[in-house]
Every structure is written in C-alpha cells, then in structure tokens.
C-alpha cells in the first residue's frame, strides 16, 4: 500500500523525516518495505530558471535561428541561440542552464552543454513545454506572465512539490491501516507513548455537513442485512462533473492513481484517506429511483465497468435499482449507472459489507480492486456515515454539489460488545518483561481500546470496531507490545532453546518425502485405477486375484495385483505421442487373496524406459539398463537412511526377466527386474521397461527403527586400492561387496564396481570384475603396512568366495 508523506502530514504535525517515520511504523508492525522519492516531473526541473530575454537578433548564418541575450538574475546576461519562431525580446521564459538534464515527455533525456551553433556560442536553452516534460506542445517556447520573477527556479514557479512514498507491506489483519488516517493513528500513538509529546491526530471536520435544500431523494432498501449490516447513502444535486482541482489530482497521482473526474476522484480520495470504499451512482439512471441491496439471482447478467459481460451467482451481493443489478457490492461497479460527463444528480454510497461475502464474490469473478481489498478485510463500521459526510463536503467544494436529502443510515448490526479480560500477569508472562500498569493503560487509550472496568489484577476491555482482529487477551498484549516497541524487549544473557522435535514418521509423511525425492531426480508421478482386467492379469502370472462380485465392466473386474499394469498403460499412452524417455512413479495399494482372505499392500512403484540422459551433443546416447533402475532404488534407500540394510537376491518372476528381490535387514522389501517382452506387448509397449515395486510398510517400519547418529568427519585421508577379479558368471557384485565388508569391518569404507568384461578372451562361464576399495582410519593416517594387512584379509575372503585375484 502506497502512503504519501505529504498527504500523511495533513493529519499530524511532525518534524520527522520520512525515513524516521518509516522506522517507527515498521517497529509498530506496519512494515515499510521501501521509501522512494516521488517527483511529479522527473528531475524536478533542477537547473531550469525563469529568464528575461533582453535582446533578440537574427543569426547571421541561419534564417530560423535567433541570438538572444537572457538575464537569469544571477549576474551578467548569457547568450543563447534559440530556434523557436515565437522568441522575442521582453519575454519571460524558462531557461535550462548549462549542466541541466532535461527529461522529455517522449522518455528521452538531454544534457545541456556549452556549445557553438553555426559558429555562435550558446550557454543554455530556452525551453518548450515538451522539453520540460510539461506537455506535448513543440510549437514554440513557453512564454510566461510578465510578472514572473527573474531567477526563480522552475519548480518553485510551477509549484512542483516532491514527495516521499512509503510502501507498506500491509498484513491481512491490519484492516485499521488501509488509509492515511489509520497509518497516522499508529504513528501518533507510537510517538506520544515513546517521547511523551503532545501530538494529536487531526481528523477532517464534517461539522459543516447539512442538507442544502429539498430534492428527490433515492429510496434505499437492504434485503440482506447479514451480508450488509450497515448501509448509508445521500443524494446530491446540481453536480457539475469535470476535471478535479490540481491538489486533488496531485494527491491521487502521488499514490499511483489516475485522475478521472471530480466525482470519481473524491470517492478514491476518501477511500485512501479513511480506508472506507465509496461508490457514486448517477441517480437519474436508477430505475424506480431506488437502491436495493440484495443477493443476485442465479445467472443474472451484469456488465461491469471494464465492459465484461458477467453472469452472477446467487451468493453474490449486489446493489440494484428497482429492476437490475448496478454494482457488485464492495467489488466493482457497472456501466448502467456510472457517473458520466452529463451526470447532474449523484447518489453517494458508504457501507459495511460482510467481509466473507465480498471476498468470495471477488474470487468468484476474478476481480481485485481497491474497494474489494478493503471490504474483504473489513472496514470500520462506525465510520460509515463519517466517510459519507466527508465525501459529500468535498463534492460541494470541487463539483458544486448540493445535499438534497438526509443521510440514510440503515444499521442492522447486533448491539453486542465483545469484551476482553486482560490480566496484567498474562501480559508480563507473554512479553517476558514487566510493563507498568499505567503504561499499559496509556497504550490502550492511544489505540482507542475502551477500559470498561479496572481492578488491581487487570482490566476489562472493549476493542473499537475498526480492530476486527483484536479478540483475545493475546491480541491486546500484542497491541501493547508493538507500541511499547518490540526492540525494547531486552535479550537475556542466556537464550534457552527447546530441542527441535520432529514429528513422528507416518506413512503419509514418508510418502511425501519419497515423492519429493523422486520428483527431484526427474520422475513424474502417475495415478492409475485400482481396477484392472482379470484375464490380462492372469496372462501375466497373477493367481491370487481379488475379484469384484458385481463388476460394472468385464474389462475392470479385479483389484490390481500389481502397479505394473497401470505403469505400462501410462507408458503406452506417452510413447504413442512420441514421448519415449519416461521415468514414472506411483504410490498406491495392490491386492491379493490368501488363507486369511483379501489383503492389501501399500506399494511404491518405479518404472523407467528410453534413454538414460536427454539428448545432448556432449554426451553419448545410451538406453537405460537394469543397473539404472537399481541405482534409483539405492538412492531412495540412501535418502531414507536404510541403504546399509539392503541386499539383492536373484529370483524367478513371471513378469520380469533378470529379477531380484530386495532384502532389508533380512525382510523382503520389494522386487526389481526388466519387464518381459510378452508383458510389454500385452500393453502395446515394445521398448525395454525396467520396473521396481517396493513395499512401503516394510520401509516405514525400518525407517522408524533407524536412529540418526553423528560422527566427526575424519581428518585423515582415504586410501584406494583396485582389484581385478576372475569370477564365475553367476557371481553377483553384491556377494563380493558383502564378503569384503565382513573381512574388513574397521577400515573399509566403500566398495565399487567400475569395470566388467565378458568375452572370448576369458574361459567359458567366466567374467572379469574390476573393483575399487576405499580404506580410512578415523584416528590416524594409514601406513602401507596396515593397508596391506587389510587388503590381505579381503583377498583371502574373496578367494574363499570363489574369486581369483588377477592383480
């Protein structure tokens, strides 16, 4: 929200700078995100002064140029070459002196320099409107009134006023600060409390408001008092619609609003002054001469001011005349009753609408306006009539309006005061400091919080209507502390921080973490139906199917025994659309029958197919392999902290070739393999697919048993040794890895496979593995002797396991 410093100072007398005020406001909870200088004309015409043309003669070498002697009021006249056709001796003109930067209306800028024009020296420039950024005219120079004082700066002569804009990041609960008055109120409260000064908030007076004569008044009816608890209006006549005076236009431009007309500008001005939205209707356009506040009819047509034809909802609150809606209440006006240049009678509206009703209507229609911003947060219901009178008086001033009706004020609010019982001890406990009771009462008075009753232990309070967020003792304590100053709470010598307790791991939270991890590794989540085709499942080798007693379709007659079918269908759908490089995951349940009846298992499935990496000129193209699927599983287990428990055992499976069972701490936790070509063909997938199913209940139980421990990083280096092994073809790397760790438990840190060879250079039924082993001692640097002894134990164990160490 933009707050003008010059505008704000109309309500307070202060010598503070904008920066000092910003610091105070931020300390009270109205965070000033930025303070920027506002210039009605960029550069404020610095270096431009009023000059007097003493002499004007034709240039000897150019018919269209004149040589002028100009008095700038600071000494000897200067010589300026001017090309304007209307320049003449005796004129008062605007002169840009040497060194001045002019910012023109077309967005360009120029620096005035000492120069020679056709051989004649020129010490400045006599300016036209567009060169000063004052207009678009370039027909000639600006000629000023004869009484203009020579040497006066252009900014002073033109009455240009710079300003500072405070950009406030208003939180949703601070509906009291949605106007300049509200911000000034907080500033006054903080300054008076902290300095003891006698500053007062100056409210604009409405005492002169009175009916000016008789006229035809607009009739008002509120059909939905819940959605509109208070509605006020007044009828004005003899309204002369036209441009606003300069002070009103300048105020609106400063905060980023475009002046439209004096009537509309007044409603915008009061809205940003008091935080109370207003609306002006052309009273002569109101059918039946009446206003009805009601809910819209279903699909009722309405054209808003932006020209959009909308269909209303029966939950929308509208301002209507006797026949049709003319405004979405608190959100946006309509074209049918808007003020135009021909308007003479105006009905001025000021209301308090139910914030929830307004917020829903604004979201429903995708509208966000200054009015909805305020109404959906809740305006001050006690200032409804005050704002109306303020706007009416301004319209009398700037549009010649006459008040021809009494103020209509329909107030259906329940007369219930919300009492808050504040105990002083609670204030001390929550703030952590002891604020004297009299100082607490001083803050309450400054913030218009009424003290209904006081006793030695506390006070009974009634919060003002404009503070809809002050409902509990804690809210009042926050108000006291923000005016007292959060920075006045001293830091203790020792800060006691409670331990950070993580929430218990649940199936849902673990699933969320798995999703985040897999998404970060390039997987996309899929969701497939729980029902599948039984005949197809049986062809895939499923036997313990859970069948539906009354299936709606023969194609969907069993509960899925695996997530594979859905994954293959999703892959076929994407492959048929030229998306061949796929990485999917799904979390769901699979179903089976057994001796104890039907059972369901929470499962996480990963499936990959296509290329390993996206096509790049720097990387070789490679298809995914079973090892890539295994790598993803191990990365996931590593993220869970249970990879050290993992082991892989080969198995036979009807759905996969080269299948493996994942064992975690001796428990079956999943299956991994390449989908058979027959199964892929069954689902119209011809390219290789690698698939993993993990049992999330088992993963959850093991994760809950894991304990996070801390160990200091070793200061000592690792030692790497490589071994080349000749093995039987059926030996798996996992077996070698476990064998090495069992042989050297203390120093061995990692075992990795970096080369595999199978070919005619080896005996039949043999293969060659090249593995690396990392060793490290956490207490000292390893010596060659210690390393060799450790490697000797590992070689001996590998030899017993059937591996021949080649090097």
């Amino acid at each position: 929200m933009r707050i003008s410093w010059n505008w704000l100072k109309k309500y307070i007398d202060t010598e503070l700078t904008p920066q000092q005020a910003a610091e105070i406001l931020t300390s009270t909870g109205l965070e000033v995100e930025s303070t920027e200088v506002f210039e009605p004309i960029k550069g404020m015409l610095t270096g431009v002064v009023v000059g007097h043309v003493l002499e004007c003669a034709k240039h000897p070498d150019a018919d269209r140029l004149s040589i002028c002697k100009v008095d700038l009021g600071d000494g000897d006249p200067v010589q300026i070459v001017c090309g304007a056709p209307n320049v003449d001796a005796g004129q008062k003109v605007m002169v840009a002196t040497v060194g001045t930067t002019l910012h023109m209306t077309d967005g360009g800028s120029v620096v005035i320099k000492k120069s020679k024009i056709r051989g004649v020296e020129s010490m400045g420039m006599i300016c036209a409107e567009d060169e000063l950024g004052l207009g678009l005219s370039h027909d000639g120079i600006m000629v000023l009134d004869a009484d203009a004082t020579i040497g006066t700066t252009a900014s002073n002569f033109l009455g240009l006023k710079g300003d500072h804009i405070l950009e406030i990041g208003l939180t949703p609960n601070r509906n009291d600060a949605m106007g300049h008055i509200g911000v000034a109120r907080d500033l006054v409260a903080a300054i008076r409390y902290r300095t003891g000064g006698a500053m007062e908030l100056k409210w604009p007076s409405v005492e002169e408001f009175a009916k000016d004569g008789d006229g035809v008044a607009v009739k008002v009816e509120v059909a939905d008092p819940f959605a509109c608890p208070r509605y006020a209006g007044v009828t004005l006549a003899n309204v002369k619609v036209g441009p606003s005076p300069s002070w009103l236009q300048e105020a609106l431009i400063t905060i980023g609003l475009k002046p439209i007309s004096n009537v509309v500008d007044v409603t915008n001005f009061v809205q940003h002054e008091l935080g109370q939205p207003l609306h002006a209707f052309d009273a002569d356009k109101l059918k039946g001469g009446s206003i009805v506040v009601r809910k819209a009819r279903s699909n009722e047509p309405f054209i808003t001011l932006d020209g959009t034809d909308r269909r209303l909802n029966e939950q929308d609150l509208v301002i209507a005349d006797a026949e049709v809606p003319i405004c979405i209440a608190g959100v946006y006006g309509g074209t049918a009753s808007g003020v135009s240049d021909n308007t003479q009678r105006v009905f001025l509206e000021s209301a308090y609408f139910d914030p929830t009703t307004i917020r829903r209507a604004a979201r429903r229609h995708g509208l966000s306006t200054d009015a909805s911003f305020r109404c959906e947060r809740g305006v001050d219901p006690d200032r409804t009539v005050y704002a109306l009178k303020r706007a009416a008086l301004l319209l009398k001033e700037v549009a010649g309006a006459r008040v021809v009706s009494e103020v209509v004020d329909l107030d259906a609010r329940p007369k219930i005061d919300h009492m808050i019982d504040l105990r002083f001890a609670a204030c001390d406990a929550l703030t952590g400091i002891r604020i004297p009771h009299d100082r607490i009462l001083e803050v309450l008075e400054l913030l218009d919080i009424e003290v209904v009753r006081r006793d030695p232990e506390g006070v009974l309070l009634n919060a003002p209507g404009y503070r809809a967020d002050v409902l509990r003792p804690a809210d009042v304590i926050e108000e006291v502390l923000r005016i007292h100053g959060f920075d006045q709470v001293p830091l203790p010598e020792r800060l006691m921080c409670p331990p950070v307790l993580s929430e218990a791991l649940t199936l849902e939270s673990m699933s969320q973490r798995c999703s985040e991890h897999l998404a970060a590794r390039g997987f996309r989540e899929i969701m497939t139906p729980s029902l599948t085709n039984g005949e197809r499942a049986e062809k895939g080798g499923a036997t313990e199917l859970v069948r539906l007693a009354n299936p709606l379709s023969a194609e969907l007659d069993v509960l899925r025994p695996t997530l594979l079918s859905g994954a293959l269908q999703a892959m076929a759908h994407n492959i048929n659309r030229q998306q061949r490089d796929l990485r999917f995951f799904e979390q769901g349940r699979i179903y089976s029958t057994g001796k104890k009846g039907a059972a369901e298992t929470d499962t996480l499935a990963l499936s990959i197919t296509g290329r390993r990496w996206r096509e790049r000129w720097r990387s070789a193209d490679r298809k995914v392999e079973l090892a890539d699927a295994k790598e993803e599983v191990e990365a996931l287990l590593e993220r869970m902290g249970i990879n050290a428990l993992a082991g892989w055992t080969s198995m036979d499976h009807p759905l996969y070739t080269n299948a493996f069972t994942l064992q975690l701490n001796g428990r079956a936790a999943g299956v991994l393999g390449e989908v058979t070509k027959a199964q892929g063909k069954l689902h119209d997938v011809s390219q290789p697919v690698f698939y993993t199913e993990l049992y999330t209940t088992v993963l959850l139980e093991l994760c809950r048993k894991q304990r996070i421990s801390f160990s200091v990083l070793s200061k000592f280096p690792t030692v790497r040794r490589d071994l080349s092994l000749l093995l039987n073809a059926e030996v798996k790397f996992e077996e070698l890895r476990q064998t090495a760790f069992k042989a050297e438990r203390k120093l061995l840190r990692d075992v990795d496979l970096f080369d595999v060879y199978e070919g005619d250079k080896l005996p039949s039924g043999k293969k060659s593995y090249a593995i690396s082993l990392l060793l490290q001692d956490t207490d000292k640097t390893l010596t060659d002797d210690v390393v060799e002894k450790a490697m000797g134990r590992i070689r001996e164990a590998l030899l017993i396991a059937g591996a021949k160490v080649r090097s």
Side-chain angles (χ1 to χ4, degrees):
M1 187 178 68
R2 291 170 66 88
I3 295 295
S4 160
W5 179 241
N6 288 344
W7 191 346
L8 194 71
K9 289 196 294 183
K10 294 179 180 179
Y11 313 115
I12 56 175
D13 292 324
T14 179
E15 299 298 325
L16 292 174
T17 66
Q19 290 74 22
Q20 291 171 329
E23 292 176 3
I24 295 174
L25 288 171
T26 299
S27 73
T28 67
L30 293 178
E31 183 181 2
V32 179
E33 297 177 340
S34 65
T35 303
E36 61 185 62
V37 176
F38 173 82
E39 297 174 337
I41 295 177
K42 188 175 181 180
M44 293 293 286
L45 299 181
T46 303
V48 180
V49 298
V50 175
H52 183 205
V53 182
L54 302 176
E55 300 175 9
C56 183
K58 290 295 182 182
H59 194 293
D61 296 328
D63 294 339
R64 296 185 179 182
L65 297 179
S66 301
I67 302 173
C68 303
K69 293 290 185 181
V70 184
D71 181 8
L72 301 180
D74 60 352
D76 295 333
V78 296
Q79 179 173 276
I80 298 176
V81 177
C82 179
N86 64 330
V87 66
D88 202 356
Q91 293 174 336
K92 299 289 181 66
V93 293
M94 286 290 183
V95 179
T97 57
V98 173
T100 299
T101 300
L102 293 179
H103 302 276
M104 303 182 185
T105 52
D106 62 359
S109 61
V110 61
V111 178
I112 305 303
K113 301 178 180 178
K114 177 181 177 181
S115 61
K116 282 191 175 183
I117 302 176
R118 294 291 185 93
V120 177
E121 185 177 67
S122 181
M123 298 294 292
M125 184 171 79
I126 303 175
C127 301
E129 279 186 9
D130 63 334
E131 293 165 335
L132 296 173
L134 298 174
L136 299 177
S137 174
H138 195 69
D139 295 336
I141 59 170
M142 283 183 65
V143 180
L144 310 179
D145 293 338
D147 58 356
T149 304
I150 301 171
T152 304
T153 61
S155 58
N156 287 337
F157 179 81
L158 297 171
L160 300 180
K161 296 179 181 178
D163 200 353
H164 287 78
I165 301 300
L166 310 182
E167 189 75 40
I168 295 179
L170 197 64
T171 54
N173 65 309
R174 292 304 306 275
N175 60 317
D176 60 302
M178 294 187 296
H180 284 70
I181 282 282
V183 174
R185 179 168 46 208
D186 258 22
L187 190 59
V188 168
I191 292 173
R192 286 185 57 177
Y193 177 85
R194 298 175 188 179
T195 67
M199 181 183 293
E200 295 291 338
L201 179 62
K202 296 183 291 185
W203 286 84
S205 174
V206 295
E207 292 181 358
E208 295 182 3
F209 177 86
K211 184 178 176 183
D212 297 313
D214 295 327
V216 179
V218 174
K219 299 183 292 293
V220 179
E221 175 190 350
V222 177
D224 192 336
F226 174 80
C228 179
R230 190 173 190 183
Y231 189 91
V234 67
T235 306
L236 307 173
N238 294 357
V239 178
K240 298 177 180 61
V241 179
S244 298
S246 59
W247 68 265
L248 180 53
Q249 292 193 38
E250 289 169 2
L252 297 180
I253 291 172
T254 300
I255 59 173
L257 297 183
K258 179 182 178 181
I260 299 173
S261 70
N262 48 9
V263 176
V264 177
D265 292 350
V266 163
T267 61
N268 284 332
F269 179 84
V270 174
Q271 176 174 249
H272 286 271
E273 178 183 53
L274 304 178
Q276 171 66 51
L278 303 173
H279 197 88
F281 300 97
D282 187 327
D284 291 324
K285 296 179 182 179
L286 300 178
K287 297 176 182 178
S290 64
I291 287 287
V292 181
V293 185
R294 61 172 174 84
K295 287 292 180 65
R297 302 180 184 93
S298 180
N299 213 34
E300 190 169 13
F302 178 66
I303 301 177
T304 45
L305 286 171
D306 59 0
T308 303
D309 189 355
R310 303 179 187 273
R311 289 295 181 267
L312 301 177
N313 182 283
E314 60 270 15
Q315 297 301 315
D316 293 334
L317 184 69
V318 297
I319 311 300
D321 57 21
E323 298 179 13
V324 296
I326 56 176
C327 178
I328 302 176
V331 181
Y332 212 14
T335 57
S337 63
V339 173
S340 67
D341 292 342
N342 299 321
T343 297
Q344 295 182 349
R345 295 176 62 242
V346 168
F347 177 75
L348 197 59
E349 165 196 282
S350 177
Y352 170 73
F353 300 113
D354 171 55
T356 302
T357 300
I358 304 305
R359 181 167 57 254
R360 288 175 177 171
R363 299 298 180 272
R364 190 178 297 117
H365 295 286
L367 294 170
S368 179
T369 63
D370 284 346
S372 67
F373 174 82
R374 289 162 174 79
C375 288
E376 66 188 32
R377 285 163 172 78
V379 297
D380 183 1
D382 295 325
R383 295 286 176 186
T384 302
V385 173
Y386 173 84
L388 189 70
K389 292 180 178 180
R390 169 68 168 156
L393 289 173
L394 286 173
L395 285 174
K396 291 177 66 174
E397 176 186 340
V398 304
R402 293 176 60 248
V403 179
V404 296
S405 76
E406 299 292 346
V407 172
V408 178
D409 183 16
L410 302 180
D411 190 353
R413 293 176 296 158
K415 307 301 181 183
I416 300 174
D417 291 328
H418 184 78
M419 298 298 176
I420 305 170
D421 187 14
L422 175 65
R423 301 290 90 188
F424 295 133
C427 185
D428 296 345
L430 193 56
T431 61
I433 59 175
R434 188 182 185 283
I435 302 175
H437 299 172
D438 289 342
R439 297 286 278 168
I440 292 176
L441 295 175
E442 184 181 348
V443 173
L444 298 178
E445 180 182 358
L446 290 170
L447 296 179
D448 299 333
I449 300 176
E450 179 188 0
V451 178
V452 178
R453 187 180 66 248
R454 178 183 179 181
D455 60 54
E457 303 300 323
V459 287
L460 184 65
L461 305 171
N462 183 20
Y466 63 82
R467 290 310 304 269
D469 62 317
V470 179
L471 303 172
R472 308 166 299 162
D475 299 328
V476 178
I477 294 170
E478 180 184 2
E479 293 299 294
V480 171
L481 189 55
R482 70 182 186 83
I483 299 301
H484 180 76
F486 291 107
D487 54 350
Q488 297 303 309
V489 179
L491 287 174
E493 294 182 1
R494 297 176 60 191
L495 288 176
M496 306 298 290
C497 297
V500 178
L501 301 177
S502 60
E503 296 182 1
L505 187 65
T506 64
L507 186 62
E508 291 75 15
S509 60
M510 188 187 74
S511 297
Q512 179 63 31
R513 295 178 190 180
C514 290
S515 297
E516 293 171 355
H517 169 83
L518 292 170
R521 291 185 68 88
F523 282 80
R524 294 180 182 273
E525 185 172 12
I526 60 174
M527 299 178 68
T528 61
S530 297
L531 298 177
T532 189
N533 180 258
E535 182 180 355
R536 184 180 295 174
E538 288 175 336
K539 288 182 179 179
T543 56
E544 301 175 341
L545 297 176
V546 180
R547 299 185 180 275
L548 300 186
N550 298 296
L552 296 176
S553 167
E555 288 295 314
L556 301 172
D557 58 342
V558 300
L559 291 172
R560 61 189 177 192
T562 175
L563 297 180
L564 175 61
S565 178
L568 290 175
Q569 290 177 27
M571 285 187 166
H573 178 85
N574 282 272
I575 291 171
N576 289 338
R577 289 158 179 78
Q578 308 304 315
Q579 300 296 319
R580 298 183 175 277
D581 305 323
L582 305 170
R583 301 164 74 85
F584 290 155
F585 77 94
E586 180 176 11
Q587 301 190 72
R589 289 175 177 171
I590 59 176
Y591 305 88
S592 61
T593 58
K595 295 180 179 179
K596 296 182 179 180
E600 54 186 19
T601 305
D602 290 296
T603 306
L604 168 63
L606 315 181
S607 48
I608 60 176
T609 186
R611 289 177 297 198
R612 176 65 180 86
W613 298 287
R614 292 181 61 187
E615 190 173 14
R616 291 287 187 271
W617 67 272
R618 293 185 299 171
S619 59
D621 192 13
R622 176 172 80 77
K623 303 294 184 182
V624 293
E625 301 171 351
L626 184 63
D628 297 317
K630 179 172 178 284
E631 179 183 342
E632 294 297 343
V633 175
E634 291 177 339
L636 178 61
L637 298 178
E638 185 72 31
R639 172 67 180 84
M640 293 179 169
I642 55 176
N643 193 38
L645 307 177
W648 297 92
T649 305
S650 61
M651 62 175 294
D652 293 325
H653 198 287
L655 297 178
Y656 320 115
T657 59
N658 199 18
F660 292 85
T661 296
L662 171 64
Q663 300 283 336
L664 289 176
N665 212 22
R667 297 179 61 183
V671 60
L672 163 71
E674 179 180 354
V675 178
T676 63
K677 292 182 179 180
Q679 190 69 15
K681 184 178 180 181
L682 199 61
H683 293 83
D684 299 323
V685 177
S686 58
Q687 61 191 57
V689 176
F690 301 94
Y691 179 80
T692 305
E693 248 178 25
L694 302 175
Y695 310 136
T696 50
T697 303
V698 177
L699 301 181
L700 177 63
E701 292 176 6
L702 293 173
C703 285
R704 284 174 171 172
K705 292 179 181 179
Q706 288 297 104
R707 293 293 178 265
I708 298 175
S709 60
F710 168 78
S711 60
V712 178
L713 292 175
S714 176
K715 301 177 182 178
F716 304 100
T718 57
V719 175
R720 170 172 168 160
R721 292 290 186 266
D722 295 342
L723 293 178
S724 178
L725 307 175
L726 185 64
L727 309 159
N728 292 330
E730 65 273 9
V731 177
K732 305 298 182 184
F733 169 69
E734 183 63 24
E735 299 174 18
L736 301 179
R737 182 176 178 277
Q738 293 182 11
T739 298
F741 273 108
K742 288 178 181 178
E744 181 51 59
R745 300 177 182 273
K746 181 180 179 182
L747 301 180
L748 187 59
R749 295 289 176 262
D750 191 24
V751 181
D752 199 9
L753 175 66
F754 64 88
D755 188 49
V756 178
Y757 176 75
E758 293 177 291
D760 55 6
K761 295 182 180 180
L762 295 178
S764 177
K766 297 291 184 178
K767 62 182 177 182
S768 175
Y769 274 3
I771 64 174
S772 64
L773 302 101
L774 286 183
L775 299 98
Q776 185 184 46
D777 195 322
T778 58
D779 299 322
K780 58 182 180 296
T781 300
L782 291 173
T783 62
D784 291 341
D785 183 53
V786 172
V787 171
E788 286 307 314
K789 288 181 179 179
M791 290 300 300
R793 291 189 289 269
I794 294 172
R795 290 190 188 95
E796 184 177 350
L798 293 175
L799 185 62
I800 295 173
K804 180 179 179 181
V805 180
R806 303 176 69 188
S807 62

